[in-house]
Structure formats: structure tokens, C-alpha cells
Amino acid sequence: MTEGFHLWDYVIFVSYAILILGVGLWVSRDKDGHQKNAEDYFLASKSLPWWAIGTSLIAANISAEQFIGMSGSGFALGLAIASYEWMAALTLIIVGKYFLPIFIQKGLYTIPEFVEKRFSTNLKTILAVFWLALYVFVNLTSVLYLGGLAIETIMGIDMIYAIIGLALFAATYSLYGGLSAVAWTDVIQVVFLVLGGLVTTYLALNTVSGGEGVLAGFSKVWDAAPEKFHMVLDEFNADGSKNGNYLDLPGIWVLIGGLWVANIYYWGFNQYIIQRTLAAKSLKESQKGILLAAFLKLIIPLIVVVPGIAAYVMVNDPEIMASLGSVGQLNTPSVDQADKAYPWLLQFLPTGLKGVAFAALAAAIVSSLASMLNSTSTIFTMDIYKEYFNKNANDKQTVNVGRLTAAVALVIAVLIAPLLDGLDQAFQYIQEYTGLVSPGILAVFLLGLFWKKTTNNAAIWGAVLSIPVALVLKFLPQYVEAFEWLAPWMHQMGLATLLSMLIIMILSNIQNKGAEDAKGIALSKELFKTSPLFNIGSFVVCILLVVLYALFW
């Protein structure tokens, strides 16, 4: 156990940084005689193989909010927070089978582009503005803040300098190379991410067991905090008092309610996630990538949730805390400051491994920043700039505007990120405030894809009204006692989605008098036909999920 970084930690971390920057810039280079065009920059020339897609999906998804935020929620809530990861595996299967065939058939660059083809330019613009605001003011800022928090905790560097450093690192290769640089470096980032995460999990469990190994450590954690291993939380504690954690994860409703809104929106209609699947060589290649990501999702809780639970046991065991010495007293996590759990654990790694684990954390942060920047620039360039500022923009102009957009978004996020200081359980913060926007977007997409009667005007009203509906549902339980059951934000998100869909369906029927809309999508069984490999893999994922929930119900 060593305090702070030592020479080998710096050597390993700097080597990681050089490797990522080197690969990112190398794959970004223009081939002789070829000027980088929009398809090259925004869709990696539509050349990504399945394994690059699968790993890139995970690298884009797993960021500081998982390593730090989800470990913090593991410390505070327990394994129940893993529902986000395990249900995401099933959601990915649904996206691969039912959404991707339509998106790829239409040759999309962006998700708002689908809205234009199915509905109208006006609705596309409304949703594009929604997404740009969400990426810049919630996603980019929270990832930078959590990354800065980790570096400040581990290395003692002031948060603002840590945030600027992370921003410059991500910008160095992603602004120049576009999606190609992001996706190919993601393959390397995932290796660091998984190995570094496993190292931290091993250390935490081995420390709990007093050096007797991982299995002994897991057994001790289970015995010491059995309440942390329930996937479905009860509304009331054994003494009859209310379970405060129920507000974030409302029992069985997590499995059949609002979490589906968050997952289907995120994995199906989120530009910075779906963009790498649109860059596949073919639909089958994209579906294989989705399947790989689903399997990887099953193991993610092992590296982002279990360490948080282990940290909870360590902090509440005087004997273990005494054995940690003075280092254990630095930045100790608590129920009120749960997000300190993962950075606190990294302090106990031996020299060398600390560099590996920190590289994993940096990989998670930088890969997500790069993905968000690329998608922000794609949406603004293709859906705003080319639509309203320069319809005839050539490839050089669109690529340059994309780079400039990403740079501006990054500067805004860097300025706002420090304002989040003091936020606890940031993962829940991100989910809750994304939940104000996602119900309307999900309603528009689901009905637009699968209900031919959906009209453009109805979809616009549904999207616009969804936000005041979500806000009313958010504040109603605080002021009206009869609506106290609506206090969990997942309930609010689920009900907001149903109400938004109801608004769209009523207005569509009024406008078209029950007739199908002219832009309705023709669906067929052939469109959703998948390969035997995808079908078998999907079945295995479902079986594993049943086993996991049976073990930890």
C-alpha cells in the first residue's frame, strides 16, 4: 500500500496516453490524395467491424459516471444499481433486432435525420436542440466533473486543472480524426478499462479478506452487508421506516417500469451510442457488435459496483480501517459522500498497478468525452448547420464546422463542470435529469417507428408538451399528498412516457381521422430477420440474466 503516485505509476499512465494519442492520430490521417469527407469523419467511412462496434459501445457508455458514480451508488445502495447494466444487456438485444434494421436501411448519419424522414424538418430541429443541450449541459459537464474529482482525490491536482487536462486529452485526437479515431482508440480503451477495473475489484476484495483472496473477500462482504446484495429493494425497512433508496430504485418497478424508458432511450435513440452501429460494414456486422456489447454488459457490475460495496464494508469495519493506516483516513467515503468510494480505493493499489487502474479510469472518461464530442458535432453540423446555414456545404466545410462545434461544446462544458462540485451520487443525477427529456423523445420514436398513424403535428406537440408534463410529475408528489406514490423519479419517467404517447395518439387520430400517415414506415417480417448467431447469443444473454436475478433477488 503506497500513498500517492510513484515513478512506475507515472510511466504506465504516460505510456497509455502516448499509445492512445498515437493510435488516434494515426488512424485519423488522410490517405494520399483523399480529402476527409462527411462519411469519413462522422461515420468512420462505414467500415467498422463487429468487434470494434461492440467494444466502442462499451467504451462510449462506461465513463466516470459508472466507475465513480455507480461505485458511489454501490456504496450507498448496493448491487441493485446493477439493474442499469444487466437490463441494458436485454435492451441491446431489442435494439439490435427491432431498431437497427430500420436505421441502417435508411442510411442515417444522425438520429434526428430519421425524424426528418419520418416526420418533418421542424421536429428534427426541436429534437436536435434537445440533444445538443443535454450533451453539453448534462453529459459532458458531469463526465468532466467526475473525472476531475477522481484526479483531485488520487493525485492532489486542483479540480479545474484536472478538468482542463481531460478536455485537452480527448480533444487532441477526436476533434481531428472524428468517429474513426474515437472507435479505434475505444478498442484499446476497453482493454485498459476492464483490466484496470478488475485489478481494483481484486484489491478491494483481497483487502477485505485480509489477503485470503477474492472468493474469501466476496464471502466476507456478503456476510457483512447482506442488505447490499438485493436487486429488488423493499419500500420499507425491517423497522417499518421508509427505505430512502427506494426513491432511486423503486423495487419491482425497476424491472417493469421507468428503467425501460431510460434504457431504450439511451441505447436505441441516443446519438453518441447509436452512431457507431450506423458506421458498420453491414447490418449483420452491426448486430454482432451489439451482441458483444450485451455480453460485456453482464460483467460490468463486477468492476464498477462490487468495489463500491467492498468500500462500504471496509469503511464500517474498524479492524480493516486500522490496518490501512493513515492512507485510509484520506478522502474516506461516507453515505453523504458516496462518490469518493472508487477514488479512495485506488489509493491502496501498489505502485505500478495504481498507474494501470488510473489509466483505466482515464480511458473510461476520455473515450466517453470523445464520443459525446463527436456526436455533438455530428448533430449540429448535419442537422443545424447544413439545414439552416449552408445547405450546399462541401465536405471540407462540414468537417471543419464539426471540429469547431466540438471545440465550442468542450469549452462550455469545462466552464460549467466545476459548478457541480459537492454533488453526491452523480450517476443518479444524470439519470434523473435526462429523464425530463427522454420520455417525449422515446414516445415520438416508438410511435414513429411502429405506429403508421402517427402524424408530424402530433409528434411535435407530444415532444414539446412532454417536458412540462415531466416537470408537473416531478413536483406533484411534493405538494399533493395523494400523489406521494409518484415520488420515485422512475415512476415519473414511466408515466410521462405513457402520457406523451397518449397525447400523440389522440392528436394523430383527430388529425388523420384514424387513417395511416403518408410517411408511416412499412414493416415486414423479413426486415427483422436475424442470423442464427444473433438468435442463439440473445437466448444465452436472457438465460444468464434470469440466473443473475434469481441469485440476487
Side-chain angles (χ1 to χ4, degrees):
M1 188 194 327
T2 56
E3 185 175 345
F5 258 44
H6 289 71
L7 177 62
W8 279 109
D9 296 314
Y10 286 111
V11 167
I12 289 169
F13 182 71
V14 170
S15 298
Y16 148 76
I18 292 171
L19 175 64
I20 294 300
L21 291 176
V23 171
L25 294 174
W26 184 74
V27 300
S28 302
R29 72 198 191 287
D30 289 330
K31 295 176 183 176
D32 292 339
H34 179 71
Q35 167 72 44
K36 193 181 262 86
N37 59 37
E39 187 174 278
D40 296 331
Y41 189 78
F42 297 116
L43 288 183
S45 308
K46 288 197 173 181
S47 62
L48 295 184
W50 63 272
W51 47 272
I53 293 167
T55 52
S56 188
L57 280 169
I58 297 301
N61 166 240
I62 300 299
S63 182
E65 71 259 35
Q66 270 78 18
F67 266 110
I68 299 173
M70 197 170 268
S71 286
S73 292
F75 184 97
L77 301 172
L79 192 63
I81 198 69
S83 283
Y84 281 96
E85 303 302 307
W86 288 343
M87 286 182 65
L90 183 55
T91 307
L92 279 163
I93 300 298
I94 294 169
V95 169
K97 184 167 180 66
Y98 294 109
F99 299 168
L100 272 189
I102 300 173
F103 292 160
I104 289 180
Q105 182 191 56
K106 291 187 173 295
L108 303 181
Y109 274 83
T110 70
I111 290 298
E113 187 183 352
F114 166 80
V115 177
E116 182 175 42
K117 291 183 176 183
R118 174 61 179 87
F119 295 112
S120 68
T121 301
N122 288 340
L123 183 55
K124 178 192 77 169
T125 303
I126 291 170
L127 295 187
V129 171
F130 274 8
W131 267 304
L132 289 173
L134 191 64
Y135 289 162
V136 175
F137 295 105
V138 177
N139 295 109
L140 280 171
T141 53
S142 58
V143 170
L144 280 171
Y145 161 68
L146 287 171
L149 174 67
I151 293 174
E152 184 179 58
T153 303
I154 299 163
M155 301 180 71
I157 297 174
D158 188 80
M159 181 181 289
I160 186 62
Y161 297 117
I163 287 171
I164 292 170
L166 288 169
L168 290 175
F169 189 5
T172 301
Y173 67 90
S174 65
L175 265 63
Y176 175 66
L179 185 61
S180 182
V182 173
W184 289 108
T185 52
D186 278 352
V187 176
I188 301 169
Q189 307 268 36
V190 163
V191 174
F192 276 96
L193 189 154
V194 173
L195 288 180
L198 289 174
V199 163
T200 307
T201 301
Y202 171 82
L203 169 103
L205 294 176
N206 193 54
T207 302
V208 168
S209 69
E212 294 181 12
V214 172
L215 294 179
F218 190 82
S219 177
K220 183 168 181 179
V221 169
W222 188 308
D223 291 339
E227 74 281 1
K228 298 290 184 184
F229 288 92
H230 294 301
M231 292 298 297
V232 178
L233 301 181
D234 292 324
E235 186 173 0
F236 297 97
N237 297 315
D239 60 3
S241 61
K242 282 200 168 185
N243 182 353
N245 294 329
Y246 186 83
L247 291 175
D248 289 322
L249 294 165
I252 193 68
W253 290 102
V254 172
L255 300 181
I256 60 176
L259 188 53
W260 281 108
V261 176
N263 268 326
I264 293 175
Y265 159 77
Y266 181 88
W267 292 103
F269 310 119
N270 186 349
Q271 178 68 25
Y272 84 82
I273 290 297
I274 209 72
Q275 188 165 344
R276 51 256 309 126
T277 65
L278 302 178
K281 293 177 178 179
S282 65
L283 173 59
K284 283 191 175 180
E285 200 77 1
S286 187
Q287 287 172 328
K288 284 195 289 185
I290 283 268
L291 191 60
L292 172 62
F295 276 105
L296 290 173
K297 267 294 171 187
L298 297 178
I299 67 169
I300 294 299
L302 181 63
I303 63 176
V304 299
V305 180
V306 171
I309 301 174
Y312 173 83
V313 172
M314 292 165 68
V315 165
N316 287 282
D317 189 318
E319 189 177 329
I320 293 176
M321 290 299 288
S323 71
L324 297 177
S326 60
V327 182
Q329 310 308 314
L330 297 173
N331 298 301
T332 308
S334 64
V335 174
D336 294 326
Q337 292 183 308
D339 281 344
K340 287 185 175 181
Y342 198 85
W344 180 74
L345 284 173
L346 294 189
Q347 296 179 120
F348 309 127
L349 285 166
T351 300
L353 287 181
K354 189 177 292 185
V356 173
F358 191 64
L361 183 58
I365 296 165
V366 170
S367 60
S368 289
L369 284 175
S371 296
M372 291 170 188
L373 287 172
N374 185 255
S375 293
T376 301
S377 67
T378 304
I379 289 177
F380 180 84
T381 304
M382 305 305 289
D383 298 319
I384 305 291
Y385 173 74
K386 286 197 74 172
E387 184 65 44
Y388 296 102
F389 296 98
N390 190 354
K391 287 183 180 292
N392 300 314
N394 59 35
D395 284 326
K396 185 175 182 179
Q397 288 171 317
T398 55
V399 170
N400 286 339
V401 168
R403 288 169 176 160
L404 180 62
T405 302
V408 171
L410 195 56
V411 170
I412 294 171
V414 166
L415 293 174
I416 296 174
L419 302 178
L420 299 181
D421 195 19
L423 184 71
D424 185 45
Q425 287 200 62
F427 182 79
Q428 298 289 7
Y429 157 82
I430 295 165
Q431 302 305 321
E432 184 171 351
Y433 284 92
T434 302
L436 294 177
V437 176
S438 54
I441 295 175
L442 183 61
V444 167
F445 273 94
L446 287 179
L447 292 175
L449 283 168
F450 302 113
W451 197 53
K452 292 181 183 178
K453 296 179 182 180
T454 310
T455 66
N456 171 57
N457 287 339
I460 289 176
W461 279 108
V464 171
L465 291 176
S466 69
I467 293 182
V469 166
L471 288 171
V472 168
L473 294 176
K474 181 175 179 61
F475 293 108
L476 200 58
Q478 299 176 27
Y479 299 103
V480 183
E481 192 175 336
F483 287 93
E484 194 176 341
W485 61 273
L486 200 54
W489 60 267
M490 277 193 194
H491 290 353
Q492 299 162 18
M493 192 163 58
L495 187 55
T497 303
L498 293 176
L499 290 175
S500 299
M501 293 178 76
L502 185 62
I503 289 169
I504 294 171
M505 292 174 76
I506 291 172
L507 293 178
S508 294
N509 275 315
I510 291 173
Q511 184 179 352
N512 268 9
K513 296 183 173 58
E516 291 183 358
D517 187 72
K519 288 188 174 181
I521 296 174
L523 305 176
S524 66
K525 286 185 179 180
E526 283 300 310
L527 183 63
F528 302 119
K529 192 173 182 181
T530 46
S531 67
L533 174 65
F534 185 85
N535 295 337
I536 293 169
S538 301
F539 181 73
V540 172
V541 168
C542 292
I543 293 297
L544 291 173
L545 283 172
V546 170
V547 171
L548 287 169
Y549 271 94
L551 282 173
F552 299 110
W553 188 269

